[in-house]
Amino acid sequence: MAMEMRLPVARKPLSESLGRETKKHLVVPGDTITTDTGFMRGHGTYMGEEKLIASVAGSVERVNKLICVKALKTRYNGEVGDIVVGRITEVQQKRWKVETNSRLDSVLLLSSMNLPGGELRRRSAEDELAMRGFLQEGDLISAEVQAVFSDGAVSLHTRSLKYGKLGQGVLVQVSPSLVKRQKTHFHDLPCGASVILGNNGFIWIYPTPEHKEEEAGGFIANLEIKDILKPEIMEEIVMETRQRLLEQEG
Amino acid sequence: MASVALSEAEKVYIVHGVQEDLRVDGRSCEDYRCMEVETDVVSNTSGSARVKLGHTDILVGVKAEMGTPKLEKPNEGYLEFFVDCSANATPEFEGRGGDDLGAEIANTLYGIFNNKSSVDLRSLCISPREHCWILYVDVLLLECGGNLFDAISIAVKAALFNTRIPKVRVLEDEEGSKDIELFDDPYDCIRLSVDNVPCIVTLCKIGYRHVVDATLQEEACSLASLLVSVTSMGVVTCMRKVGKGSLDPESIFEMMETGKRVGKVLHASLQSVLHKEESLGPKRQKVGFLG
């Protein structure tokens, strides 16, 4: 039985040399970025007193004549093609509302969802009544961003067998700015755990299934005890992965 | 209590893990998360403490005021508890939302201190039937990350340890009117002995086993919990069952034994941290809220 109690320790301040070493220009709100008026203002900046001032805390990015500040800690801003892990918050008439750590709830339309068995047909009234049978409030899904509405809300789709409802596992939440855009976000770790790195900062760690379920398309969550390896070892691996991710974040 | 939405599969995963004595963050069923305790963080109180237990953040302030003793106990002072669940902790506490939880926690605190030996109330008496010290203990919930009762009881104990009540003496005139006078030295004060102040250990029943120090996710999987208030000697002062599920008398007995065991270790760790902090002296660097 472990119990650790300690006195708090003050955080060490980051020295300014850190910015120079990593070649990143870090700014806080109110910092002057440049006094050169020839630049175009991007996100996170504003013009005041003949100079360009940052309005968020982050790193300055410059593309030719455009200067913008990429914030370190923000809500998730959707881009088309991103992979996200989200939680269903509401079941509405022909769609589900999904929480993805962004400013507005994302939307998953019934027509953007694969029917079980891979059928291709128009969604009928019976499908609409059976929505709660597919996805309920509180369920986790992995999906891809299909479109971004003008108000910033994101529309998702699960039109591939690798997306869909997530089964047993652990969700870890980090800041969205920590997840880089890569070619694949679905990884199988050699220790027997798999991980989905959502661009919205939701990371899903789960035991690797021994065979891919083709027909279900990710709908039927397997609620049996996973015993691919010995359960203790399997879960220990998953815990450690989660610990390491949290350490890296904080 | 603040709740977090979980899918059925996630709950099943947590329950299966607990059966194997392995929780989602790698702890065993009887491990606590890492705790940070700091006292004397609020300058205009007689004593204060801040406790951080994972994502749970509690601030307690103790103010000593003079008042009249209660009629049935004329030789003793008393403690008054007030718990403020602020909207900082979770949006559910906005407006009147946190009042119910606050009243429940305050009543639990009254219950665990409602015995002769927890705090020596006679030392709070100035003159019988006329003047006594009343300690107003205010608890502020800054962040809610599961296991509120434990963190609050630890913070209350640390704040009472830190409380400094000014020494006063009663002067009597020839006419018989009494006057209360402070001692000259402002640092001369009386301190409470907190050796018998109990701490609460919450045991949540998940599946067939019980866990100590549950996170919000684990509390969502548990239907019944037992709050056991234990002193440093292992004496149980108060016990309460919360939750809508039922508990078997056998499990209650097991959970109580676990609570006593864990409680003793908790008290030992808390004592050592508080004494270590005190040994650093008045020149120690206070971290506070901006550290």
Side-chain angles (χ1 to χ4, degrees):
Chain A
M1 174 183 40
M3 173 109 45
E4 199 201 317
M5 223 185 276
R6 56 163 203 227
L7 295 172
V9 176
R11 248 193 270 220
K12 294 194 190 57
L14 277 178
S15 54
E16 285 98 354
S17 61
L18 187 64
R20 260 180 270 129
E21 270 165 21
T22 55
K23 297 193 179 56
K24 263 196 213 186
H25 183 191
L26 296 170
V27 288
V28 290
D31 267 0
T32 314
I33 304 172
T34 175
T35 44
D36 191 349
T37 49
F39 286 106
M40 283 197 294
R41 291 177 280 119
H43 286 301
T45 66
Y46 66 97
M47 187 70 82
E49 299 160 23
E50 298 294 317
K51 11 180 216 178
L52 208 57
I53 304 175
S55 62
V56 290
S59 55
V60 176
E61 305 208 334
R62 209 198 102 201
V63 178
N64 293 339
K65 285 275 179 195
L66 176 69
I67 288 198
C68 60
V69 181
K70 189 161 167 284
L72 285 173
K73 185 180 165 190
T74 52
R75 291 251 168 198
Y76 169 61
N77 292 319
E79 308 267 333
V80 178
D82 279 354
I83 313 253
V84 293
V85 171
R87 201 184 283 281
I88 308 288
T89 49
E90 273 179 60
V91 181
Q92 292 184 347
Q93 278 221 306
K94 276 198 179 66
R95 59 205 186 156
W96 288 273
K97 284 280 183 182
V98 182
E99 197 243 316
T100 52
N101 196 21
S102 39
R103 284 189 202 92
L104 293 167
D105 273 343
S106 308
V107 158
L108 175 63
L109 296 172
L110 177 58
S111 48
S112 310
M113 165 82 86
N114 273 347
L115 289 169
E119 289 176 73
L120 292 174
R121 57 173 171 78
R122 208 185 164 91
R123 307 288 185 270
S124 61
E126 284 93 30
D127 288 319
E128 211 178 308
L129 292 171
M131 274 175 81
R132 200 168 251 109
F134 297 155
L135 292 174
Q136 273 198 329
E137 286 91 342
D139 280 345
L140 278 172
I141 54 160
S142 67
E144 194 179 313
V145 174
Q146 186 177 45
V148 180
F149 296 125
S150 50
D151 55 2
V154 151
S155 172
L156 304 171
H157 76 87
T158 56
R159 282 197 163 286
S160 168
L161 288 175
K162 58 182 180 179
Y163 305 128
K165 183 151 91 169
L166 299 172
Q168 289 191 51
V170 163
L171 184 73
V172 178
Q173 292 173 313
V174 302
S175 170
S177 53
L178 289 174
V179 184
K180 282 195 212 172
R181 283 200 174 87
Q182 302 280 302
K183 253 175 64 172
T184 56
H185 287 256
F186 293 78
H187 302 277
D188 282 336
L189 304 173
C191 51
S194 296
V195 69
I196 302 179
L197 298 165
N199 283 99
N200 59 335
F202 284 12
I203 298 170
W204 177 249
I205 309 168
Y206 60 105
T208 313
E210 65 269 20
H211 61 270
K212 303 288 174 199
E213 284 141 17
E214 301 278 342
E215 314 87 34
F219 275 111
I220 298 163
N222 193 347
L223 293 182
E224 294 157 8
I225 301 185
K226 300 271 180 188
D227 57 8
I228 299 135
L229 300 179
K230 259 170 59 162
E232 303 90 36
I233 301 178
M234 174 66 68
E235 310 214 14
E236 221 170 275
I237 293 163
V238 174
M239 306 327 166
E240 226 190 87
T241 319
R242 185 178 192 269
Q243 265 314 89
R244 296 240 181 90
L245 277 169
L246 276 173
E247 273 163 40
Q248 275 189 356
E249 178 224 340
Chain B
M1 199 82 79
S3 55
V4 65
L6 280 187
S7 65
E8 282 306 313
E10 277 178 283
K11 286 188 193 167
V12 165
Y13 189 74
I14 291 176
V15 171
H16 286 159
V18 167
Q19 309 298 86
E20 312 276 341
D21 196 22
L22 196 55
R23 289 154 79 170
V24 169
D25 44 10
R27 292 183 280 157
S28 82
C29 289
E30 293 182 7
D31 287 346
Y32 265 86
R33 287 170 282 182
C34 184
M35 245 183 281
E36 277 184 11
V37 177
E38 198 186 1
T39 60
D40 208 21
V41 281
V42 183
S43 50
N44 59 344
T45 52
S46 310
S48 59
R50 181 176 178 212
V51 166
K52 271 199 274 201
L53 176 59
H55 280 292
T56 304
D57 204 338
I58 311 281
L59 178 66
V60 171
V62 178
K63 281 204 143 166
E65 309 235 334
M66 259 200 276
T68 40
K70 291 189 181 161
L71 285 172
E72 63 270 17
K73 293 190 178 147
N75 296 326
E76 296 175 353
Y78 55 96
L79 275 75
E80 291 275 348
F81 294 99
F82 175 67
V83 179
D84 182 13
C85 299
S86 71
N88 269 340
T90 133
E92 288 169 20
F93 292 160
E94 199 190 355
R96 282 264 150 82
D99 284 357
D100 284 339
L101 179 62
E104 192 190 333
I105 300 175
N107 286 333
T108 313
L109 287 171
Y110 277 118
I112 69 177
F113 278 87
N114 188 18
N115 58 67
K116 289 188 281 275
S117 48
S118 295
V119 172
D120 184 15
L121 296 170
R122 281 173 192 270
S123 63
L124 296 176
C125 180
I126 303 169
S127 56
R129 281 187 300 275
E130 282 164 7
H131 300 108
C132 72
W133 286 112
I134 307 174
L135 294 180
Y136 290 100
V137 181
D138 295 316
V139 179
L140 178 60
L141 235 67
L142 292 169
E143 207 185 335
C144 192
N147 204 16
L148 287 177
F149 286 93
D150 292 26
I152 289 175
S153 66
I154 294 169
V156 166
K157 180 165 181 172
L160 287 173
F161 178 79
N162 181 240
T163 305
R164 279 152 175 75
I165 304 170
K167 269 196 193 156
V168 292
R169 56 173 166 231
V170 184
L171 300 168
E172 241 191 82
D173 277 354
E174 301 88 36
E175 291 110 51
S177 64
K178 293 200 178 133
D179 211 18
I180 298 190
E181 189 189 65
L182 269 179
F183 273 67
D184 291 325
D185 185 2
Y187 291 106
D188 201 9
C189 43
I190 53 175
R191 302 212 26 208
L192 290 173
S193 157
V194 293
D195 293 330
N196 284 325
V197 169
C199 274
I200 300 179
V201 176
T202 309
L203 301 122
C204 289
K205 189 117 201 300
I206 299 180
Y208 295 115
R209 295 187 67 148
H210 50 271
V211 296
V212 165
D213 191 22
T215 58
L216 279 177
Q217 284 84 5
E218 285 163 352
E219 279 178 2
C221 302
S222 139
L223 284 175
S225 309
L226 194 69
L227 298 175
V228 182
S229 138
V230 188
T231 64
S232 51
M233 295 286 124
V235 174
V236 174
T237 66
C238 170
M239 202 163 82
R240 241 185 89 201
K241 182 221 161 254
V242 290
K244 50 188 189 239
S246 58
L247 283 176
D248 197 64
E250 290 260 334
S251 346
I252 295 182
F253 183 72
E254 277 173 21
M255 284 154 100
M256 210 163 72
E257 293 300 311
T258 310
K260 283 199 270 189
R261 216 178 337 128
V262 171
K264 280 198 231 177
V265 178
L266 181 65
H267 277 285
S269 314
L270 183 61
Q271 297 273 32
S272 70
V273 163
L274 289 175
H275 284 126
K276 182 172 152 201
E277 200 186 29
E278 197 170 348
S279 65
L280 291 174
K283 290 194 190 56
R284 75 174 159 99
Q285 198 184 26
K286 291 193 192 170
V287 174
F289 290 91
L290 298 174

